[in-house]
Amino acid sequence: MPFREFEDIINGCLAGDSASQKALFIHLSGKMMAVCLRYSRDKMEAEDLLQESFIKVFTNLGSYKFEGPFELWVRRIIINTSIKRYHKMSYQNERPSSDMMPDIELSVSAFEGLAYQELISLVEGLPDGYRMVFNLYAIEGYSHKEISDMLNIKEATSRSQLVKARLVLQERLTKYQKVVI
């Protein structure tokens, strides 16, 4: 969609035009659902997160300054909404057994032949704290310091949960590869 047309849709949403709101939702919902799936335990929870996030998008649309990509602004709302939901639901049962766990690198070949939806399913299956840290660090690119501030945890806990998430994913990938082969 050309930027000018997209800007017109946003302005229509600001004016309360329901057709513009529908057009905006249709244009972004697929991409944003993928983000929601990464932060949710299942598809139903992801759909709830998407709906809750879009309500916030439409409610706060007046604060968008047309500086920077609109999709990144929406993505940030989704991430913030998922973090608030994470705190509200108190899924922080994962506790590190050691603060000094080494980083583990997964081989790119481990992901060969793995369809996107299968990979999302593996990430969805992570315990909530692991999934949140994994997404924020590995996919969104936040530092452990930023994650610790967002989730109100220690940096060492963020590092530990990332290592544990990688271990769980590596174990599941190994099982997946044995089934496929």
Side-chain angles (χ1 to χ4, degrees):
M1 176 178 299
F3 177 75
R4 185 69 198 143
E5 183 180 339
F6 197 64
E7 191 175 329
D8 290 341
I9 290 174
I10 293 171
N11 285 325
C13 291
L14 287 168
D17 178 46
S18 61
S20 295
Q21 291 172 340
K22 183 177 180 179
L24 182 67
F25 181 79
I26 289 170
H27 179 71
L28 293 177
S29 62
K31 290 179 186 177
M32 296 305 133
M33 181 62 171
V35 176
C36 291
L37 283 167
R38 287 198 322 266
Y39 286 94
S40 302
R41 293 189 290 171
D42 55 40
K43 187 177 180 188
M44 186 180 295
E45 188 175 295
E47 290 169 347
D48 289 345
L49 178 59
L50 182 70
Q51 181 178 0
E52 183 178 345
S53 297
F54 265 94
I55 289 169
K56 290 181 180 182
V57 166
F58 292 126
T59 302
N60 297 302
L61 198 55
S63 68
Y64 178 65
K65 305 290 186 227
F66 293 92
E67 298 170 358
F70 183 73
E71 285 184 24
L72 291 179
W73 185 78
V74 173
R75 181 187 195 104
R76 185 72 196 151
I77 289 174
I78 290 171
I79 292 168
N80 287 337
T81 303
S82 68
I83 289 170
K84 286 179 184 171
R85 179 179 279 206
Y86 172 76
H87 287 301
K88 182 179 169 186
M89 302 304 281
S90 298
Y91 291 134
Q92 301 176 25
N93 296 327
E94 301 87 20
R95 295 287 179 234
S97 60
S98 169
D99 289 342
M100 302 303 288
M101 296 181 75
D103 278 343
I104 295 172
E105 295 298 321
L106 291 177
S107 165
V108 173
S109 65
F111 296 102
E112 290 178 7
L114 195 63
Y116 174 79
Q117 190 54 46
E118 293 167 322
L119 183 57
I120 290 297
S121 294
L122 290 174
V123 173
E124 281 177 5
L126 289 171
D128 297 313
Y130 296 3
R131 185 182 61 250
M132 186 67 66
V133 171
F134 179 82
N135 282 319
L136 292 170
Y137 184 86
I139 297 174
E140 306 298 341
Y142 288 103
S143 69
H144 288 294
K145 171 70 174 128
E146 292 169 316
I147 294 168
S148 71
D149 291 342
M150 286 187 268
L151 300 180
N152 298 320
I153 59 176
K154 294 179 182 179
E155 282 184 61
T157 302
S158 176
R159 284 188 199 90
S160 175
Q161 289 190 346
L162 177 64
V163 168
K164 289 179 180 185
R166 287 178 172 172
L167 286 170
V168 169
L169 287 173
Q170 189 171 34
E171 180 183 314
R172 290 179 181 171
L173 283 170
T174 302
K175 287 179 184 176
Y176 174 81
Q177 288 176 333
K178 287 179 183 176
V179 170
V180 172
I181 296 174

